């Protein structure tokens, strides 16, 4: 009965809960984009958002029969070209960054196999080159 009273608030019959943090830190699932790529991506998102707003304004002005419909459509066409450039800029910047800084050289399985064979051949050569008495001692045999 005392254990129950210890777990309860003294003034109210409500269990006392342990304080827990508001959030817990979790490791990132993906590596952070390099700065130039992230800058290009933010720029592209802003340009695309402005283009979409312009397109919506052009459509609504066209439906309303406003005089502003024609300039809005022209501006939307120009913005679409700029938005396409912005998205391509992200892609090109990412490719350039990967070529300059992101290359991870990993030998192919064939290269690994060749190196392993050469190592084994050198090891076998060293073992046969040593005198017989020294070979026995290296293996722990009594001299």
């Amino acid at each position: 009965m005392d254990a129950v009273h210890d777990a309860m608030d003294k003034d109210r019959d409500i269990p006392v809960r342990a304080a827990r943090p508001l959030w817990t830190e979790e490791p990132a699932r993906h590596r952070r984009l390099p700065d130039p790529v992230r800058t290009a991506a933010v720029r592209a998102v802003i340009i695309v958002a402005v283009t979409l707003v312009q397109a919506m304004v052009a459509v609504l002005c066209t439906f309303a029969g406003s005089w502003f419909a024609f300039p809005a459509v022209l501006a939307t066409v120009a913005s679409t070209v700029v938005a396409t450039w912005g998205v391509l800029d992200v892609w090109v910047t990412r490719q350039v960054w990967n070529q300059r800084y992101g290359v991870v050289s990993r030998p192919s399985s064939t290269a690994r196999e060749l190196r392993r064979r050469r190592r084994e051949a050198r090891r076998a050569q060293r073992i046969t080159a040593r005198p017989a008495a020294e070979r026995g001692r290296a293996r722990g045999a009594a001299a």
Side-chain angles (χ1 to χ4, degrees):
M1 188 101 172
D2 287 322
V4 172
H5 287 293
D6 289 341
M8 299 284 190
D9 189 355
K10 301 300 180 203
D11 296 331
R12 297 171 275 148
D13 291 336
I14 301 172
V16 177
R17 297 186 190 263
R20 59 183 184 165
L22 292 175
W23 66 83
T24 57
E25 293 288 330
E26 294 180 8
R29 290 191 178 134
H30 301 286
R31 286 185 15 232
R32 184 175 165 171
L33 284 175
D35 286 338
V37 178
R38 191 171 52 252
T39 304
V42 168
R43 187 183 321 122
V45 166
I46 292 171
I47 292 171
V48 168
V50 168
T51 302
L52 289 174
V53 169
Q54 281 182 337
M56 203 64 201
V57 167
V59 167
L60 292 176
C61 286
T62 303
F63 287 157
S66 170
W67 65 268
F68 191 66
F70 183 67
V73 169
L74 290 179
T76 302
V77 170
S79 277
T80 304
V81 172
V82 174
T84 305
W85 167 82
V87 172
L88 284 175
D89 181 46
V90 174
W91 182 69
V92 168
T93 306
R94 183 171 175 266
Q95 294 299 321
V96 168
W97 196 92
N98 280 338
Q99 284 183 356
R100 285 186 186 163
Y101 309 107
V103 176
V104 178
S105 178
R106 292 192 180 132
S108 67
S109 55
T110 13
R112 248 181 263 129
E113 179 66 26
L114 289 172
R115 277 201 322 252
R116 188 176 60 80
R117 285 185 193 161
R118 275 185 264 154
R119 256 195 323 266
E120 287 173 357
R122 280 195 307 260
R123 200 173 293 139
Q125 238 177 2
R126 272 183 277 158
I127 289 174
T128 55
R130 285 193 288 184
E134 192 177 315
R135 269 186 271 144
R137 236 180 293 132
R139 291 192 185 137

